[in-house]
Amino acid sequence: MEYLTVRETAEKWSLSPRMVQQFCMQGRIPGARKLGKFWTIPADAEKPRDPRILRKRDEEPASAAVMLDHTNLMPLMNTAFKPGRCLAAVEAMPAGTKRDIATAEYHYFSGKPAAAAKEAEPYLTSQDMGARLSACLIYAYANLSVGEIRRAQFALGELNAALTAAGQQSKQFQAASAFVAAAGAVLLHLPLPEGMPADTLDFLPMLPTGLRAFALYVQAHYLYLKGEYGPSAGIVEGVLTMGGADYPIPAIYLHLVAVMDYMCLKQTEQAKVHLLSAWEIARPDDLIEGFGEHHGLLGGMLESIIKAEWPEDFKRIIDITYRFSYGWRRVHNPVTGHNVADDLTTTEFTASMLAARGWTNQEIADHMHISLNTVKRYISTALEKLHISHRQELKQFMLL
């Protein structure tokens, strides 16, 4: 059988090489094979069809605009409720699609990914575009946490493909597609997919308030990845001041990215305020998933504050960290070519992260409430595991 390279296939199908590579990773090209770091594609392979998300199967012409009602687009994320009333807010929703999607959200954000994936799966082919986009986003992240990497990659591919075709659809659909595709990419520290608006202001006004707050968290996280910690923190402070704090799920994530920013700026007291604010919102409803997802970026704040006061909750957060980070790396590392450390304990990773940011051993010891010798041991062990000799080399393995 004759095989083509990714670039040759991209030219043949009039796609970008990155899109072809994503199709390969998502299992959407029968017969594609990975040889070392490179993919080969059968010369007679057919270009994957436009995904199901773009049209009702065999019912509408391709040119028909897809309308979207935001009612079922991440409804729990878009709901304002008092801490401790999350499940009551879900149960107050009318029986049907909205409540089903909100239930999947609740289970995901409370650290029950298997239940969330099971509940989202029936809506992956829904005719309701809000429900379908929501299901893909929930299904992708839930499957990362249960080790079903191919299923997660498939769902992420559906989100990116929806964005690719959104230009011919309604403004509401364009905004929703940009929102979920950005969330799918940025939280995994992947390149933004093709078709993403250059300026988030292009789609933010089309989103309801709660989703707009989470979209601004995604934007703040994106700025963090670019090293723009001050502007990122500024977005967070502005959103929380202007109503974002009324929506608990976006508020938790906004506070967490502020912790990341202020730790990079070595403003630990402000970081502590935001971590405790996030915890105060999350703990009454057990919405702890975000803490586990962000553990490696929080600069030891969980060890410094949560571990001593809430040891059982801390253990559960670390369990989430291990299972989520396993799936995260299986998606992130192959796409980016990076080699984020995958064999360090969470404490070794935290100490190494701070060291890579320029913290001294004494500063790390004081922050994590451990001895100077313990810090030295953690970093020495990390260097040994990563097969490097100097702490300056840690940066290539950290989430900086």
Side-chain angles (χ1 to χ4, degrees), residues 41 242 303:
I41 297 100
M242 299 178 67
E303 284 78 3

Side-chain angles (χ1 to χ4, degrees), residues 282-319:
R283 190 165 182 259
D285 293 298
D286 202 32
L287 300 175
I288 64 172
E289 177 70 28
F291 294 84
E293 292 174 2
H294 291 76
H295 172 274
L297 304 173
L298 297 176
M301 268 294 168
L302 295 178
E303 284 78 3
S304 177
I305 296 174
I306 304 299
K307 185 176 182 179
E309 190 73 19
W310 298 277
E312 293 305 313
D313 289 324
F314 178 78
K315 290 178 183 178
R316 293 176 56 229
I317 290 170
I318 296 303
D319 286 342

Side-chain angles (χ1 to χ4, degrees), residues 219-280:
Q219 176 68 8
H221 198 134
Y222 181 65
L223 291 176
Y224 165 86
L225 295 178
K226 294 170 64 178
E228 299 179 23
Y229 309 126
S232 175
I235 287 177
V236 172
E237 303 290 6
V239 176
L240 291 172
T241 300
M242 299 178 67
D246 295 336
Y247 295 84
I249 290 174
I252 292 167
Y253 280 74
L254 284 160
H255 282 298
L256 291 176
V257 80
V259 175
M260 293 154 46
D261 291 325
Y262 287 124
M263 287 302 295
C264 287
L265 295 168
K266 284 193 174 183
Q267 298 178 19
T268 54
E269 286 304 311
Q270 287 173 280
K272 180 178 179 179
V273 168
H274 279 282
L275 185 75
L276 287 173
S277 295
W279 189 240
E280 183 178 347

Side-chain angles (χ1 to χ4, degrees), residues 57-272:
R57 186 180 299 166
D58 301 324
E59 291 182 9
E60 295 181 2
S63 60
V66 176
M67 302 304 293
L68 185 139
D69 181 351
H70 286 117
T71 299
N72 298 322
L73 182 62
M74 302 300 287
L76 184 59
M77 185 182 288
N78 194 42
T79 296
F81 56 85
K82 298 292 184 183
R85 300 291 298 167
C86 182
L87 190 55
V90 173
E91 293 173 344
M93 296 177 184
T97 301
K98 182 177 181 179
R99 188 196 290 180
D100 291 346
I101 296 295
T103 300
E105 289 178 86
Y106 170 72
H107 283 141
Y108 178 75
F109 290 119
S110 60
K112 303 177 184 66
K118 183 177 180 180
E119 290 152 354
E121 188 169 18
Y123 290 96
L124 293 174
T125 57
S126 174
Q127 301 300 327
D128 183 310
M129 296 303 143
R132 191 181 297 189
L133 290 171
S134 300
C136 285
L137 186 61
I138 297 166
Y139 193 74
Y141 277 85
N143 275 295
L144 286 180
S145 294
V146 297
E148 294 287 350
I149 308 306
R150 294 295 290 272
R151 293 182 180 183
Q153 290 170 330
F154 166 78
L156 290 169
E158 294 290 276
L159 295 179
N160 293 344
L163 179 63
T164 299
Q168 300 178 4
Q169 310 301 335
S170 67
K171 292 293 186 182
Q172 292 88 349
F173 185 73
Q174 291 177 38
S177 298
F179 167 65
V180 293
V186 172
L187 276 63
L188 290 170
H189 299 186
L190 298 176
L192 289 174
E194 293 183 0
M196 184 64 62
D199 189 342
T200 54
L201 294 179
D202 290 346
F203 69 85
L204 280 176
M206 304 300 298
L207 296 173
T209 306
L211 300 188
R212 193 181 312 150
F214 196 86
L216 285 165
Y217 150 75
V218 174
Q219 176 68 8
H221 198 134
Y222 181 65
L223 291 176
Y224 165 86
L225 295 178
K226 294 170 64 178
E228 299 179 23
Y229 309 126
S232 175
I235 287 177
V236 172
E237 303 290 6
V239 176
L240 291 172
T241 300
M242 299 178 67
D246 295 336
Y247 295 84
I249 290 174
I252 292 167
Y253 280 74
L254 284 160
H255 282 298
L256 291 176
V257 80
V259 175
M260 293 154 46
D261 291 325
Y262 287 124
M263 287 302 295
C264 287
L265 295 168
K266 284 193 174 183
Q267 298 178 19
T268 54
E269 286 304 311
Q270 287 173 280
K272 180 178 179 179

